Amino acid sequence: MGRTDTRERILAAAVRTLATEGYAKTTARAIARVGGFAPGVIYYHFTDLDDLFVATAEFTSEARLRRYRAETDGVSAATDLLRRLRTLYAEDGADGHIAAVQELVGAAVTAPRLAAQVRVETARWLAFAEEVINRLVGGTPLASLVPVRETATAVVGAYLGIEMLTHLDPDLADPNALFDAAGRAAELFDGFRRE
Amino acid sequence: MGRTDTRERILAAAVRTLATEGYAKTTARAIARVGGFAPGVIYYHFTDLDDLFVATAEFTSEARLRRYRAETDGVSAATDLLRRLRTLYAEDGADGHIAAVQELVGAAVTAPRLAAQVRVETARWLAFAEEVINRLVGGTPLASLVPVRETATAVVGAYLGIEMLTHLDPDLADPNALFDAAGRAAELFDGFRRE
């Protein structure tokens, strides 16, 4: 297996370990067990765990952002967008991405290099959200009413927080009910947009 | 100092330690140092750290919910509500509440008793949000359009996620700009409500 493959395998194992064990228990030994390799392999690719967590934040964010961009490319109707977000949301949960991100954001409080990386990734997601919002409101009367930057922040924050709630307890915050309700709002929005 | 006072002092110290040190470094020794008491005092009031974290989740949630209820009691205009949320938001940050909650939610992934308590507290906040939304839309044409339960979930999730972002980096997500933008939306809402 090549160097790049091994590096990706370590990063994917770090994501799964963070999601299932939590940050405090994500040791080199735990990651190695999840990934099925020797703990020493980690130190061939990363100087220390801190370095690995910084790379993990970048890895998981980039991988998901690539999927979000591919899936929403050119979409400008809210109903269409929401249908695609529903698929993407299911993927976020399936591979442990959102739970890992939650752990890394929490850990960033006391890890300055990780915090810097989390800020870089957040800025990328905010830029992506701004692009999508601009496509939704562009050329409509809403363009002058909607503050794109603040709406992007609110949307990214809401997505993060709602994912936290739904993964915490699907009974408290049922993703399907939320997507259904948002779907009705999207229909109203698209109707208003066409007027 | 009485038994109740000491217990509250330990809980407040746990909140501050979680906020500044993160969950992984919140040991009995660290909490005792922040609170200015001997580590042994903790075990007179709590069976173990897990027990203390469960109590901390309840303590900080109840204290803030009491303030939120007191401050928003009887408020039914969106502009008025938003002005009060702005004050409450500043308090959330000042006493380390939101950073501690973030740590506890993250830690709940691998701590079943803590997870159960976090779910109980989340249900309380959802019920509170439902009450407030019902007051906002009650007796207006919006009452039949707005799905109260799902809107409450979205609002609580958004509040949590946006607080995470703003505390992560006020330059990325400026709370004042967000409240200003929300204020303009609230004015539109109140105008529509009166029609």
Side-chain angles (χ1 to χ4, degrees):
Chain A
M1 193 160 59
R3 190 178 163 92
T4 313
D5 288 345
T6 313
R7 191 174 186 276
E8 287 227 344
R9 202 171 143 195
I10 297 168
L11 290 166
V15 170
R16 287 204 305 280
T17 314
L18 283 165
T20 53
E21 301 291 324
Y23 176 76
K25 290 176 186 160
T26 299
T27 58
R29 191 178 294 270
I31 296 166
R33 194 169 46 233
V34 167
F37 45 75
V41 173
I42 292 170
Y43 298 102
Y44 182 68
H45 292 268
F46 303 95
T47 46
D48 51 29
L49 273 191
D50 200 35
D51 187 37
L52 171 57
F53 290 137
V54 169
T56 304
E58 190 179 17
F59 169 76
T60 191
S61 169
E62 272 189 4
R64 294 310 300 148
L65 192 51
R66 209 176 308 125
R67 278 288 301 134
Y68 271 75
R69 282 194 184 282
E71 194 68 29
T72 62
D73 187 40
V75 173
S76 61
T79 41
D80 191 9
L81 177 65
L82 210 71
R83 196 162 41 237
R84 286 150 192 268
L85 288 178
R86 205 165 184 149
T87 306
L88 291 162
Y89 169 84
E91 293 176 10
D92 287 346
D95 63 6
H97 162 78
I98 191 67
V101 165
Q102 193 178 312
E103 290 297 315
L104 291 171
V105 171
V109 174
T110 51
R113 278 186 57 218
L114 181 56
Q117 192 63 44
V118 169
R119 280 193 289 269
V120 167
E121 300 310 327
T122 307
R124 284 185 180 141
W125 282 91
L126 289 175
F128 166 66
E130 283 191 44
E131 285 167 38
V132 173
I133 294 162
N134 272 320
R135 269 208 307 274
L136 282 184
V137 303
T140 80
L142 287 168
S144 60
L145 279 174
V146 175
V148 174
R149 171 83 208 188
E150 284 71 29
T151 307
T153 308
V155 167
V156 170
Y159 208 75
L160 202 60
I162 293 168
E163 287 217 54
M164 278 174 59
L165 287 188
T166 55
H167 286 280
L168 185 68
D169 189 350
D171 290 337
L172 280 180
D174 174 23
N176 281 317
L178 285 174
F179 274 111
D180 288 346
R184 288 188 294 275
E187 281 168 25
L188 287 175
F189 178 87
D190 285 340
F192 180 73
R193 218 170 139 256
R194 277 190 296 271
E195 272 167 19
Chain B
M1 192 159 60
R3 191 178 162 90
T4 312
D5 288 345
T6 313
R7 192 175 185 276
E8 287 228 343
R9 203 172 141 193
I10 297 167
L11 290 166
V15 170
R16 286 203 306 282
T17 313
L18 283 165
T20 53
E21 303 290 323
Y23 176 75
K25 291 177 187 160
T26 300
T27 58
R29 192 179 292 269
I31 297 166
R33 193 170 47 232
V34 166
F37 44 75
V41 173
I42 293 171
Y43 298 101
Y44 182 68
H45 291 268
F46 303 95
T47 45
D48 50 28
L49 274 190
D50 201 34
D51 187 37
L52 171 57
F53 289 137
V54 169
T56 303
E58 190 180 17
F59 168 76
T60 191
S61 169
E62 272 189 4
R64 295 309 300 150
L65 192 51
R66 210 177 308 125
R67 279 286 302 136
Y68 271 77
R69 282 197 184 280
E71 194 69 29
T72 62
D73 187 40
V75 173
S76 61
T79 41
D80 192 10
L81 176 66
L82 208 72
R83 198 164 35 239
R84 286 151 192 270
L85 288 179
R86 204 165 185 148
T87 306
L88 292 162
Y89 169 83
E91 293 176 9
D92 286 346
D95 63 5
H97 161 79
I98 190 67
V101 165
Q102 192 178 313
E103 290 297 315
L104 291 171
V105 170
V109 173
T110 51
R113 280 187 55 219
L114 180 56
Q117 191 64 42
V118 168
R119 281 194 287 269
V120 167
E121 301 308 328
T122 305
R124 284 184 181 144
W125 284 89
L126 289 175
F128 166 66
E130 283 191 42
E131 285 168 38
V132 173
I133 293 163
N134 272 320
R135 270 210 307 276
L136 283 185
V137 302
T140 79
L142 288 168
S144 60
L145 279 175
V146 174
V148 174
R149 171 85 209 187
E150 283 72 28
T151 307
T153 309
V155 167
V156 171
Y159 209 75
L160 201 61
I162 292 168
E163 289 219 53
M164 277 174 59
L165 286 189
T166 55
H167 286 281
L168 184 68
D169 189 350
D171 289 337
L172 280 180
D174 174 23
N176 280 317
L178 286 173
F179 273 112
D180 287 346
R184 288 187 293 274
E187 280 168 26
L188 288 174
F189 178 86
D190 285 340
F192 180 74
R193 216 170 141 255
R194 276 190 298 270
E195 271 166 22

